Amino acid sequence: MNADIAQQNRSQAQTLIDALSTPVLSHFIDGQNYLRQDGATISNRSPVDDTELNQTAQGNEADVATASLSSEKAFESWRQWPAEKRRDVLHAIADRIEANAESIALMETADTGQPLRFTGKTATRGAENFRYFADLCTRAADGHSYPTPTHLNYTMREPIGPVGAITPWNMPFMLATWKIAPALAAGCTVVHKPAEWSPLTATLLAKIAFEAGLPAGVLNTVQGLGNEAGSALTQDPRIKAIAFVGGTQTGSRIMAQGAPSLKRVHFELGGKSPVVVFDDADLDRAVDAVAFMIFSLNGQRCNAGSRLLVQRSIHDQFVERLIQRAQKICVGNPFDPATEVGPLIHSKQLTKVKEHCFNAVQAGATMHCGGVNALSAHLPAAGNWFAPAIVSGVTPAMDIVQQEVFGPVLAVLPFDDEAHALALANDSRYGLSTYLWTGNVGRAHRLARSFQSGMVWVNTEIARNLSTPFGGMKDSGIGRDGGDWSFDFYMETRNVCIALDGHAIPQIGKL
Ligand code: NAD
């Protein structure tokens, strides 16, 4: 651990935050900083020690209306831009994101408590999202043709209009770019409402995009609370679709709020993804992957492998290896490059994680490591610290197995055979990812067909390829992101049917 480096990084982050918040972190609408008229703000606090990082504008219905109107106006010209020109400006945004990589990492760490070792890659991931969709711009409007002897049908696509993007706090910058880049590539304009617990990099992104040449109004950012700014955005009649990443309950609310104006919705929601480990797996690699997928990013990741299902024959030794690994994970100041797990984002999140573990233990489970008792005495008392925890002796019905904890907590269940593993894996309201570890290729293919999840990862941690469909089944989401799937959401498809000569038109009234 290096306290001096951590302190330097933190001071540098605060200097950047102060420069961005002049004096308040504002919305960015129509190419300008914009504040709510009555000046209402939200206090944004540090997960490390609860000191105030900045004040953020608290957007209201009027602010959202201003942003939506601006996006509606900008849409008329943005949609007409030649695809090559759109491509070039998206690449310019990616260049500028990369040039700001250090600022983005420092601000993201200050805002979220995610260790610098992870936020250091945020700009690269965000820029990749822009570059990938930039290169698809020229194909976004493409359609298909369906010729028959009598008719030719062909399809074409056009952008749906101004869209709303509502994003969560766990990976704020990356997730914002993930929604915004394909929408802009499709020719849509965007009003973005980031999470109130992690507002900083959203305003920064809007400024970066504008400075890179994105016309005013094409990307507007409105800060604020979900039940105020977020709710107004989902109800604004100018907004044609809502791309939402966040909790399942919120998704359900957004669907209801958007119903009167018939909003198209795309939902990336919660998860309780199982990791299924058979005794024929490469257990060294499996230990690495299991620990990474639940403890990296402070366990605050939608795709966390939070339910470990392990074959009974190897249960005890595998769990023991994981406990040893978890105990060695470096929990501390997220500004220290050595830190692997930082504080949780908010005291409310900490309370939720603590309660889940407490309730499980009360119900008879065993917490082998982690929690608040395993922390170093040097950590600031007001921070939201929670060391990586492994809980076994649980039953399938317990909350800790069924509910999304969204923290560094792994619940472990043994299974006997393939059928038992499959039943346990699918015994969930969620269906985002399943991770499977086995050396048997036939079993891998067989199970991959039967898991109830949008994504199945075999013998690997999550390894994202932007061309593949990303999304969940059941309560984990509606729709898929990635490649052409993204364009299907942000665009309307028109079919044109043309008759060829000689086609006989049915006749009536000629008798
Ligand atoms: P959340 O649902 O509380 O908030 C997400 C966003 O929705 C925030 O911007 C919030 O202000 C806004 N919001 C809240 N109420 C709203 C309303 N009534 N109308 C409109 N907007 C509203 O989620 P969170 O706690 O910020 O994030 C954690 C959740 O996000 C977890 O469940 C996690 O699994 C999920 N998540 C899913 C994915 C995925 O790809 N499936 C990725 C990341 C996070």
Side-chain angles (χ1 to χ4, degrees):
M1 301 295 271
N2 194 323
D4 291 343
I5 295 180
Q7 189 47 46
Q8 273 168 27
N9 285 335
R10 179 147 190 209
S11 308
Q12 205 184 331
Q14 193 59 53
T15 306
L16 291 162
I17 294 167
D18 293 345
L20 189 66
S21 318
T22 48
V24 165
L25 183 75
S26 58
H27 314 315
F28 194 74
I29 301 176
D30 229 10
Q32 292 177 38
N33 289 335
Y34 189 97
L35 287 172
R36 175 169 161 165
Q37 280 212 324
D38 66 8
T41 55
I42 304 165
S43 173
N44 185 28
R45 309 195 77 81
S46 162
V48 173
D49 55 14
D50 200 37
T51 52
E52 182 170 271
L53 296 170
N54 67 289
Q55 289 279 332
T56 308
Q58 184 183 332
N60 62 6
E61 198 180 334
D63 299 343
V64 169
T66 305
S68 302
L69 187 60
S70 154
S71 290
E72 189 181 52
K73 283 191 189 144
F75 177 65
E76 287 318 314
S77 105
W78 177 244
R79 67 181 305 184
Q80 307 292 348
W81 272 41
E84 291 77 7
K85 213 173 144 194
R86 270 208 314 272
R87 175 193 63 203
D88 292 348
V89 81
L90 295 194
H91 273 300
I93 295 172
D95 292 343
R96 227 177 164 89
I97 288 174
E98 281 164 353
N100 281 278
E102 198 186 353
S103 307
I104 292 167
L106 287 166
M107 284 199 222
E108 194 92 325
T109 289
D111 229 1
T112 62
Q114 299 284 7
L116 265 187
R117 67 165 56 220
F118 297 114
T119 59
K121 298 183 187 111
T122 296
T124 311
R125 294 274 319 271
E128 264 171 24
N129 287 338
F130 272 96
R131 291 202 194 288
Y132 176 83
F133 285 104
D135 289 336
L136 291 188
C137 277
T138 52
R139 284 159 37 196
D142 284 357
H144 300 283
S145 84
Y146 304 91
T148 67
T150 57
H151 293 83
L152 171 62
N153 280 272
Y154 64 91
T155 65
M156 60 183 81
R157 290 192 295 204
E158 60 186 38
I160 189 171
V163 300
I166 302 179
T167 52
W169 45 259
N170 58 323
M171 291 186 274
F173 188 84
M174 199 290 287
L175 289 169
T177 60
W178 197 29
K179 296 282 135 184
I180 292 166
L184 298 182
C188 296
T189 52
V190 179
V191 179
H192 177 211
K193 209 301 281 174
E196 49 271 39
W197 287 353
S198 60
L200 293 169
T201 53
T203 295
L204 182 64
L205 174 62
K207 290 188 176 188
I208 285 175
F210 181 65
E211 285 159 9
L214 195 72
V218 174
L219 171 59
N220 291 320
T221 297
V222 179
Q223 300 284 359
L225 303 172
N227 59 14
E228 192 177 21
S231 172
L233 185 58
T234 60
Q235 296 178 62
D236 193 299
R238 301 170 195 93
I239 299 295
K240 301 302 170 207
I242 295 286
F244 171 69
V245 188
T248 299
Q249 260 191 333
T250 314
S252 167
R253 247 178 250 138
I254 287 176
M255 195 177 242
Q257 290 162 191
S261 55
L262 288 177
K263 288 280 183 296
R264 182 183 288 186
V265 292
H266 185 173
F267 288 163
E268 303 282 2
L269 307 175
K272 190 77 193 179
S273 299
V275 193
V276 184
V277 182
F278 282 88
D279 61 7
D280 59 10
D282 180 333
L283 298 184
D284 293 341
R285 289 168 69 79
V287 166
D288 288 342
V290 172
F292 183 77
M293 283 312 302
I294 184 61
F295 300 134
S296 60
L297 298 173
N298 300 348
Q300 296 169 158
R301 54 192 307 166
C302 57
N303 258 302
S306 49
R307 280 190 294 150
L308 173 63
L309 312 179
V310 58
Q311 198 154 19
R312 205 177 292 278
S313 50
I314 54 164
H315 176 275
D316 292 355
Q317 52 141 312
F318 193 77
V319 173
E320 187 49 43
R321 287 181 69 178
L322 275 174
I323 293 166
Q324 283 175 20
R325 185 66 73 86
Q327 285 170 333
K328 284 194 196 141
I329 288 175
C330 180
V331 181
N333 189 328
F335 287 107
D336 186 330
T339 292
E340 294 173 303
V341 167
L344 304 185
I345 182 129
H346 197 278
S347 55
K348 284 189 186 161
Q349 190 62 18
L350 175 63
T351 303
K352 180 180 154 194
V353 172
K354 280 201 281 196
E355 276 176 8
H356 269 295
C357 291
F358 178 80
N359 292 342
V361 171
Q362 288 294 104
T366 305
M367 188 163 149
H368 296 278
C369 55
V372 287
N373 296 331
L375 297 167
S376 147
H378 303 299
L379 297 171
N384 310 316
W385 314 101
F386 194 91
I390 297 178
V391 183
S392 76
V394 297
T395 61
M398 278 185 188
D399 281 354
I400 202 162
V401 177
Q402 291 298 333
Q403 293 184 15
E404 187 180 41
V405 175
F406 222 55
V409 178
L410 181 67
V412 188
L413 284 160
F415 69 81
D416 297 311
D417 54 21
E418 211 172 291
H420 189 200
L422 183 63
L424 287 174
N426 288 343
D427 178 20
S428 172
R429 64 186 285 222
Y430 295 111
L432 193 53
S433 280
T434 306
Y435 304 89
L436 172 62
W437 287 87
T438 178
N440 179 332
V441 177
R443 171 188 280 152
H445 287 293
R446 202 163 47 241
L447 283 175
R449 292 177 181 198
S450 308
F451 289 132
Q452 294 166 356
S453 62
M455 293 165 283
V456 177
W457 311 88
V458 181
N459 295 338
T460 180
E461 84 291 9
I462 184 169
R464 186 85 179 99
N465 169 342
L466 292 175
S467 300
T468 61
F470 184 104
M473 294 181 182
K474 304 204 270 188
D475 284 6
S476 287
I478 298 176
R480 297 291 180 270
D481 268 312
D484 213 51
W485 285 276
S486 297
F487 288 147
D488 264 346
F489 177 70
Y490 293 111
M491 302 183 88
E492 292 283 16
T493 299
R494 176 182 294 112
N495 185 64
V496 178
C497 177
I498 299 184
L500 305 179
D501 286 352
H503 147 247
I505 308 239
Q507 298 177 333
I508 56 171
K510 286 190 84 180
L511 290 177

